[in-house]
Amino acid sequence: MTPHAGVGYNKGDRMRTTNITMPAHCQQPRRELLSDQHEDTTAKLASYSASITSPINLILLSLLVIVIYLRLRPAAPQSFPKAPPAIVFRTFTPPELKPYNGEKDMPVYLAVRGKVFDVTSGRNFYGPGGPYENFAGRDASRGLACGSFDEDMLTKNLEGPLDDLGGLGSEEMQALQDWEDRFSEKYLVVGRLVSVGEKDTVKE
């Protein structure tokens, strides 16, 4: 058998191949194809890089970073409002009750038939400038019974005995009871009112 060009046989008739060099006119199109592919890839990468760095993408990226930061940042320690000071049930005399009139950041207390109510939450009504401010820090029993907010309804002598509500009729006493029930539903009883002379004989 006559061996073909570029192909030879050894003694064992085993075929072996030799390096085959492609003609120059066949190599040129392949080089041009690889060059075109390289230029196309380079153009795509440049276009992709330009699209990433466009203003709108930079803005979106910034917003994404901000959102991630806000979600991952440590939470600020919670601050709870201070608890109001504890209110201790105590016995008041008229002079001791009088400072609780809402002035100088004081609470607003008033007394109804011996019960002292904390009406601070109703400061707009019972505190300074309110329609019932004359009752703040005082025994409001007679004024509530008579539906009058005048100072004439208040006990003049704070060192003397408490108002025994003498001279009030049944309708007035019923009105006072209604007021007392209303205060009991809405406000906290923080103490009781006794006269100065009774203070030493009453146990806290």
Side-chain angles (χ1 to χ4, degrees):
M1 178 182 294
T2 302
H4 296 282
V7 180
Y9 293 87
N10 59 14
K11 294 181 179 181
D13 292 334
R14 293 180 180 177
M15 184 175 67
R16 62 185 178 84
T17 59
T18 60
N19 293 331
I20 299 175
T21 303
M22 296 179 63
H25 70 276
C26 294
Q27 294 180 4
Q28 184 64 26
R30 177 176 177 83
R31 289 174 182 172
E32 293 178 356
L33 177 61
L34 291 175
S35 177
D36 292 342
Q37 290 178 345
H38 177 72
E39 291 178 358
D40 186 52
T41 302
T42 303
K44 288 181 178 180
L45 289 175
S47 175
Y48 179 72
S49 176
S51 65
I52 290 179
T53 57
S54 65
I56 184 65
N57 284 338
L58 291 177
I59 293 174
L60 292 175
L61 181 61
S62 301
L63 292 176
L64 179 61
V65 171
I66 293 173
V67 170
I68 293 175
Y69 169 74
L70 293 176
R71 286 183 174 274
L72 298 182
R73 69 175 178 175
Q78 294 183 348
S79 58
F80 298 96
K82 294 182 179 180
I87 298 176
V88 180
F89 188 91
R90 56 172 289 193
T91 300
F92 293 88
T93 62
E96 293 171 341
L97 182 62
K98 189 174 182 180
Y100 292 87
N101 56 10
E103 296 180 357
K104 299 179 181 179
D105 295 327
M106 287 290 288
V108 184
Y109 293 173
L110 61 79
V112 179
R113 289 210 297 194
K115 295 179 182 179
V116 177
F117 292 93
D118 180 358
V119 296
T120 305
S121 59
R123 181 184 294 270
N124 291 338
F125 296 99
Y126 303 101
Y132 310 124
E133 64 176 335
N134 288 339
F135 293 159
R138 304 296 297 271
D139 182 1
S141 301
R142 182 174 290 273
L144 294 174
C146 297
S148 173
F149 311 128
D150 296 335
E151 291 189 14
D152 293 340
M153 298 288 107
L154 304 176
T155 303
K156 301 295 188 294
N157 183 11
L158 300 183
E159 300 290 336
L162 300 182
D163 187 350
D164 60 4
L165 304 179
L168 297 181
S170 58
E171 291 184 2
E172 293 166 328
M173 293 301 295
Q174 183 59 51
L176 179 58
Q177 182 64 55
D178 293 341
W179 275 103
E180 183 178 353
D181 293 342
R182 189 179 307 172
F183 279 110
S184 298
E185 293 175 358
K186 191 172 182 179
Y187 302 113
L188 183 67
V189 177
V190 295
R192 54 184 169 178
L193 183 67
V194 299
S195 66
V196 174
E198 295 176 306
K199 179 67 182 286
D200 295 336
T201 61
V202 176
K203 295 181 180 181
E204 295 286 348

